[in-house]
Coordinates of all heavy atoms in Angstrom, one line a residue:
E134 N -20.0 7.9 -3.6 CA -19.8 7.6 -2.1 C -20.2 6.1 -1.9 O -21.0 5.6 -2.6 CB -20.7 8.6 -1.3 CG -20.3 10.0 -1.4 CD -21.1 10.9 -0.4 OE1 -22.1 10.2 0.1 OE2 -20.9 12.1 -0.4
L135 N -19.6 5.6 -0.9 CA -20.2 4.3 -0.3 C -21.4 4.6 0.5 O -21.4 5.5 1.3 CB -19.0 3.6 0.3 CG -17.7 3.2 -0.4 CD1 -16.8 2.5 0.6 CD2 -18.0 2.2 -1.5
T136 N -22.2 3.7 0.5 CA -23.4 3.7 1.5 C -22.8 3.3 2.8 O -21.7 2.8 3.0 CB -24.5 2.7 1.1 OG1 -24.0 1.4 1.2 CG2 -25.0 3.0 -0.3
L137 N -23.7 3.5 3.9 CA -23.2 3.3 5.2 C -23.0 1.7 5.3 O -22.0 1.3 6.0 CB -24.4 3.6 6.3 CG -24.0 3.3 7.7 CD1 -22.8 4.0 8.2 CD2 -25.2 3.9 8.6
R138 N -23.9 0.9 4.7 CA -23.7 -0.5 4.8 C -22.4 -0.9 4.0 O -21.6 -1.9 4.5 CB -24.8 -1.2 4.1 CG -24.7 -2.8 4.1 CD -26.0 -3.5 3.5 NE -25.9 -4.9 3.6 CZ -25.3 -5.6 2.6 NH1 -24.8 -5.1 1.5 NH2 -25.3 -7.0 2.7
E139 N -22.0 -0.3 2.9 CA -20.9 -0.6 2.2 C -19.7 -0.3 3.0 O -18.6 -1.0 3.0 CB -20.8 0.0 0.8 CG -21.9 -0.5 -0.1 CD -22.2 0.2 -1.2 OE1 -21.8 1.6 -1.4 OE2 -22.8 -0.1 -2.2
V140 N -19.7 0.9 3.6 CA -18.5 1.2 4.6 C -18.4 0.2 5.7 O -17.2 -0.2 6.0 CB -18.8 2.6 5.2 CG1 -17.7 2.9 6.3 CG2 -18.8 3.7 4.1
R141 N -19.4 -0.3 6.2 CA -19.4 -1.3 7.3 C -18.8 -2.6 6.7 O -18.0 -3.4 7.4 CB -20.7 -1.6 7.9 CG -21.2 -0.4 8.8 CD -22.6 -0.6 9.3 NE -22.9 0.5 10.2 CZ -24.2 0.7 10.7 NH1 -25.2 -0.1 10.2 NH2 -24.4 1.6 11.5
I142 N -19.1 -3.0 5.5 CA -18.5 -4.2 4.8 C -17.1 -4.0 4.6 O -16.2 -4.9 4.9 CB -19.3 -4.5 3.5 CG1 -20.7 -4.8 3.8 CG2 -18.5 -5.5 2.7 CD1 -21.4 -5.1 2.4
A143 N -16.6 -2.8 4.1 CA -15.1 -2.6 4.0 C -14.5 -2.5 5.3 O -13.3 -3.1 5.4 CB -15.0 -1.0 3.3
E144 N -15.1 -2.1 6.3 CA -14.5 -2.1 7.7 C -14.3 -3.6 8.2 O -13.4 -3.9 8.8 CB -15.3 -1.4 8.7 CG -15.2 0.1 8.5 CD -16.1 1.0 9.4 OE1 -17.1 0.3 9.9 OE2 -15.9 2.2 9.5

Side-chain angles (χ1 to χ4, degrees):
E134 297 182 359
L135 295 178
T136 65
L137 180 59
R138 180 176 184 274
E139 289 165 348
V140 170
R141 288 175 175 169
I142 291 173
E144 290 173 341

